[in-house]
Each structure stands twice: as structure tokens, then as C-alpha cells.
Amino acid sequence: MGHSIPIVSALDGVYTGNLLLHGARYQALTEAFIETYGVMPDFIARAPGRVNIIGEHIDYCGFPVFPMAIVPDCLIAVKAVDGSSVKLSNINAKFAARRFDYQPDGIVDIDQTVHDWVNYFKCGYRGALEAIANTSSPVGMQCLMDGSVPISVGLSSSSAFVCCAVMATMKANGKLLSQERIVETAVASERYIGTNGGGMDQTTSIMSQPQSAAFIEFSPMLRVTPVRFPSTTPPIAFVIANTMVESDKAVTAPTNYNLRVVETRIGALMLAKHLNISEHSACANADPLTFKTVMDEYFASSYPSDRDPPVLKWTKRLTAMLERAEALFATHPQGFTLDECADYLSISASDLSRIVHTDRFPVRADRFKILQRAQHAFSEALRVVKFRQVCESEDTSDGCFVALGDLMNQSQDSCRDLFECSCPELDEICKIARRAGSFGSRLTGAGWGGCSVHLVRQDGCENFIATLKQEYYSRRFPELGDDELKNVIFATSPSSGAVIYVFD
């Protein structure tokens, strides 16, 4: 049956902290809607951004991740109207108002070559109508958006927008599906804009619970386990610091994000053949085949009576798969050409491209660095499991800070050296942060710019932030004032997931 999106008429279950400030924002959005359209909205859909604490670029490998929702979010005020036209405006004047009409053939046109903000809404609109099987007579919609998630910095502003659009469209059409179905719909929807994501961002935005991070498993089925951070004295705090280097995931996808997806997918195909399980139905029928599926099938067939406790099982399996992957891919430390991969799999290069969907998600590369990508994926998954283990232990000593921080630092090293998704600015801000008292510092999100996340003592947050302002921002961006910096570097805590706000 699944869990329902919460329908709320008060904000105390959505936000903590200054409820008056949040209430004023909702009121301002409502008043702006009335000014724009001349009527009250029916409801406001809310989907938060997220910060990934650890587990980067492994959701699309099928492995678990450890993010948390954050307070910055996407709000869309909506009024269902007669007809089938959709009008979309934005509180931010930078984004011009848009209008599109429902099309019986294809629902809506989405031009991936034009990077227009309305495309993210169109993705959610199309996916939602397909999911609720209403592709013949959808209602018209008047919408006004207010987004507080920084754009192109790794905090999932685009996924929050798509999630919000999915919910808004479903609610306006009278059929709001379960959280699980909305996640599934949002993941599929975002692919209409050309991003081949794995599901972490959408799951976190939709299914997070207040005061908890989320241990998210994707295979063999979606499962979200709320995990609280250890009750240390002083408490653990996380600081998000934006490098101010923008990296638009959709724009750079062929050489960055989508390329990494393809490298792991080809790696999974080759590893399955190396382990003599490629013809097993679990692998042969998988689309896509992931490292997690390969690992599960290998151990299911080789060790069917494995009854180890969960953490020990994860540790043994991930360590063993890392060793086998290194044995296979180490023959080509500089990478494989597409033809070399196809030859190993005994298929044509065109068939391999079709299997890993480069027809839908084009990539550009002379060589695929499968060894390094596999090393990162298996070792990062192991770090996620260990991170959860520390959080759920009864250790509240200083050793807890050190253990969690070490795992975050190792993750950054792997993202920089093996997955090659860091950048000089991210490396610099992490070094400064560790000198300033961070126990663990790493990039968060897709990387190649964007934000970093730092584990600190709560009572040291103020001094920590002041040091980063002085040693990073004042040197690189002296034009930024205090008000601007409040949205560039800030402490955060786990937020609740998506809701529909209705008026009393």
C-alpha cells in the first residue's frame, strides 16, 4: 500500500526553529499568487533539498546511501482550473513566466537542448500524468514557485523541483499516490530532461522524517530506515559550504554525471561475465544491471546459506567484490575503449551502447575508467555501512566524532582520486575546514563544484564558519557581504520530507 504524503495545515510538523519566519514565507507566496492570478491557491506542495552525508555516486550502482533532507526547499502554490493549460510563474524574477498546453500526443514537449527552468516542471507534469493514468483529460493548473535551495551546488534543487511538480500535478488532478510511487515517478520523470540518476535525491526529498538522516537501500527494493546521529556532548552538527563553483548536472552530463553512470553499468556487465553469472536470469533480465545486482546474484548462487549478521554480511561481500573487480579491471588502469569492452562481452559496440542506454543519455569519452569507478563504488558502499554502524552504536565519546569524520574524509579522497568528481575549490575548502576543526569534510552531491559538507561540534560552529569565511570566501569572493554569505555557508540539521500544505 505504501505511505501517504502528509497533508498539513500547520507548519510546526514541517519545520523546526523560527516558525514565524517560515509562516511569513508561505503567506508571502500566497499573497503573490493572488496578485498573479487573482484567486487563492488550492494548496502548496513542498519538497526539500538534501545533503548527502556519505555515499556519493553509488545510488545508481544499487548501493545504499546516507543523506538527510534540509530546510531549504521548493514550494509550488497551485490552483486547479478549467481547460488543460498550465501557467507557471516564479517568485524569483530571474525565471520568466511560462505557459504550456497539454498535448494529447506525448502530453508535453520537452526540448533537452534548451536549458529552460520550465523543463523541470514539465518532467514532473508528464511523469505524474503517466503515473496516475490521466493522459487524456488533465485539469488546467495555475502555479507559482518559490525555491530556497541553492541552484547547481549539489543540494538537489532540480530533484526537489521535479518532486514538487509531480506532487502538485497529482494533487491538482485528484490522485496523490503513495510516497514510494511518487519517488518512482520523480526518478523516471527527471530522465526526460536527460539526467540518468539513481533515486537518492528524490527518495530523500519525499520520504525523510524529522530529526533523522536516512539509510536508503534501493535493491532488491526501496527501503528507507531513519537513523539518528549519536547523542554526543556537545552535539554533532553539519555545516554546508558552497564553493561557488556551479555545475549544472544536466548541461555537463555527457562528460561527467551520465558518463560515470555508464562506466559503472559497463563495469557491472563485465564483472557478471567474469564471475560466470551473466546468463543467470537476475543478471540477464536486469535493465540496468548494477554492481549491487551482480554482488547479490554472485553470493546467492555461491553462498546460498550465508546467515551472517547484516553488517558482517555487507563487509564480507563488498570486500570480496572489490577484490574480484580489481583482479578483472586492473589489466587496463588507463581505461577501456568501447570496442574493448564490447569484445570482452562478445557483443558489438552498438549493442553495448544500446544496453547501457547511451542512445537516451549520450556520453563523450575515449576510454572508460572502470577500474577506478568500481574501486570507488564498492569502497564507498562499505563506508556507508560503517557510518550507519557508528551512528547506531552507543558510543557518544570523542571517538564517535573521529570515526564518522574519518569515513567522510576517506570518501572525499575516493571521490577526488577514483571517481574524479571533485575540483580544486572543493579540495581547498575541505583542507581549510579540517584545519579549522572539522572532523570530516567532503563534497556532497554530484561534485565538480557545488557544496561541501563538514562534521563539527555544535559548540564550535560559529568559529568554524568564521574561519571559512575568512580563509576561503574573503580571498576568493571579497564582494560577498554577510547577508549573501548566510545562504552560502550555514549549519543544518535533518529536516522533514515532502508535504502538501492546505489552507484552513
Side-chain angles (χ1 to χ4, degrees):
M1 189 71 179
H3 301 84
S4 300
I5 292 288
I7 308 293
V8 304
S9 57
L11 298 179
D12 54 353
V14 181
Y15 303 100
T16 57
N18 192 337
L19 291 180
L20 290 177
L21 183 65
H22 296 298
R25 180 168 168 239
Y26 277 65
Q27 182 63 30
L29 177 61
T30 303
E31 292 174 356
F33 189 97
I34 294 171
E35 183 178 343
T36 301
Y37 297 112
V39 293
M40 272 283 291
D42 295 330
F43 62 88
I44 296 174
R46 183 256 179 182
R50 66 95 189 97
V51 58
N52 191 23
I53 304 300
I54 194 165
E56 219 62 73
H57 284 282
I58 59 173
D59 54 339
Y60 53 76
C61 298
F63 290 129
V65 292
F66 199 94
M68 67 183 191
I70 56 177
V71 172
D73 53 19
C74 174
L75 304 179
I76 302 179
V78 180
K79 177 74 175 178
V81 295
D82 293 337
S84 58
S85 294
V86 176
K87 296 179 180 179
L88 182 65
S89 296
N90 199 305
I91 289 289
N92 188 339
K94 173 183 175 182
F95 302 103
R98 295 286 186 258
R99 172 180 173 161
F100 63 88
D101 294 312
Y102 161 78
Q103 300 171 358
D105 182 17
I107 301 179
V108 64
D109 179 58
I110 303 171
D111 187 350
Q112 294 184 12
T113 65
V114 178
H115 300 292
D116 191 324
W117 75 285
V118 74
N119 282 350
Y120 291 98
F121 187 93
K122 286 181 176 180
C123 287
Y125 175 81
R126 175 177 172 179
L129 293 182
E130 291 173 338
I132 64 176
N134 184 3
T135 57
S136 59
S137 57
V139 301
M141 297 170 64
Q142 294 172 335
C143 307
L144 179 61
M145 176 186 167
D146 179 15
S148 61
V149 186
I151 298 171
S152 300
V153 299
L155 299 180
S156 293
S157 59
S158 57
S159 293
F161 188 7
V162 173
C163 287
C164 211
V166 168
M167 292 193 303
T169 304
M170 288 183 177
K171 176 66 174 172
N173 283 273
K175 194 170 182 180
L176 193 61
L177 300 182
S178 69
Q179 290 179 328
E180 292 82 357
R181 287 291 308 281
I182 291 174
V183 167
E184 179 183 304
T185 301
V187 172
S189 297
E190 200 161 334
R191 291 173 183 152
Y192 288 133
I193 207 168
T195 302
N196 194 9
M200 171 182 65
D201 302 346
Q202 299 84 354
T203 306
T204 311
S205 186
I206 297 295
M207 299 183 69
S208 289
Q209 295 186 17
Q211 307 304 315
S212 298
F215 181 81
I216 304 175
E217 299 170 84
F218 302 96
S219 175
M221 61 177 13
L222 179 64
R223 181 166 63 177
V224 180
T225 305
V227 179
R228 289 182 177 264
F229 294 106
S231 301
T232 56
T233 304
I236 286 174
F238 292 96
V239 172
I240 296 174
N242 184 354
T243 62
M244 304 297 289
V245 176
E246 287 196 8
S247 179
D248 190 317
K249 193 162 63 173
V251 174
T252 62
T255 57
N256 292 347
Y257 190 90
N258 286 356
L259 176 58
R260 297 301 186 274
V261 176
V262 167
E263 287 173 319
T264 64
R265 299 276 161 81
I266 293 176
L269 292 166
M270 296 175 70
L271 187 58
K273 181 169 183 178
H274 175 69
L275 298 174
N276 297 313
I277 59 172
S278 58
E279 299 302 319
H280 293 198
S281 61
C283 294
N285 297 330
D287 184 17
L289 182 62
T290 66
F291 280 137
K292 174 63 161 52
T293 302
V294 172
M295 182 179 79
D296 287 348
E297 180 58 23
Y298 175 72
F299 279 91
S301 58
S302 302
Y303 306 94
S305 60
D306 184 0
R307 299 183 183 276
D308 288 329
V311 172
L312 180 59
K313 180 183 291 187
W314 275 109
T315 302
K316 287 172 59 176
R317 291 185 173 194
L318 289 165
T319 302
M321 294 304 292
L322 178 58
E323 292 173 353
R324 286 159 176 76
E326 288 176 335
L328 170 62
F329 301 127
T331 57
H332 290 66
Q334 302 305 313
F336 295 77
T337 65
L338 181 65
D339 287 335
E340 287 171 337
C341 295
D343 288 344
Y344 182 84
L345 295 167
S346 301
I347 58 177
S348 68
S350 60
D351 281 344
L352 177 56
S353 295
R354 175 182 53 79
I355 291 170
V356 296
H357 300 299
T358 55
D359 53 335
R360 291 178 58 198
F361 308 103
V363 300
R364 296 194 301 272
D366 295 325
R367 290 185 172 273
F368 301 106
K369 294 186 176 182
I370 300 175
L371 169 65
Q372 294 85 347
R373 311 316 182 219
Q375 287 175 319
H376 170 78
F378 289 113
S379 64
E380 184 77 347
L382 187 55
R383 285 186 285 274
V384 171
V385 172
K386 291 180 178 178
F387 198 94
R388 176 184 174 180
Q389 184 182 25
V390 174
C391 286
E392 293 181 332
S393 72
E394 296 182 359
D395 182 11
T396 59
S397 68
D398 284 353
C400 178
F401 285 92
V402 173
L404 295 176
D406 284 349
L407 291 168
M408 292 176 66
N409 290 331
Q410 292 165 21
S411 174
Q412 172 61 21
D413 292 344
S414 184
C415 286
R416 181 191 64 231
D417 300 333
L418 297 176
F419 224 72
E420 298 178 285
C421 59
S422 189
C423 69
E425 293 83 358
L426 280 165
D427 298 338
E428 179 186 355
I429 208 167
C430 287
K431 289 179 181 178
I432 294 171
R434 290 166 191 158
R435 291 198 305 266
S438 169
F439 288 89
S441 295
R442 59 180 298 277
L443 64 84
T444 186
W448 296 288
C451 282
S452 54
V453 60
H454 311 273
L455 188 158
V456 300
R457 299 176 189 271
Q458 190 178 79
D459 61 358
C461 267
E462 188 174 336
N463 288 337
F464 175 80
I465 290 174
T467 300
L468 261 64
K469 286 180 178 179
Q470 179 180 357
E471 296 192 20
Y472 182 81
Y473 295 104
S474 65
R475 293 178 182 178
R476 286 183 171 268
F477 307 99
E479 71 279 7
L480 293 179
D482 288 339
D483 286 343
E484 294 169 298
L485 284 170
K486 288 179 182 178
N487 295 319
V488 172
I489 179 169
F490 54 90
T492 189
S493 57
S495 171
S496 62
V499 301
I500 298 290
Y501 176 86
V502 295
F503 300 90
D504 289 333

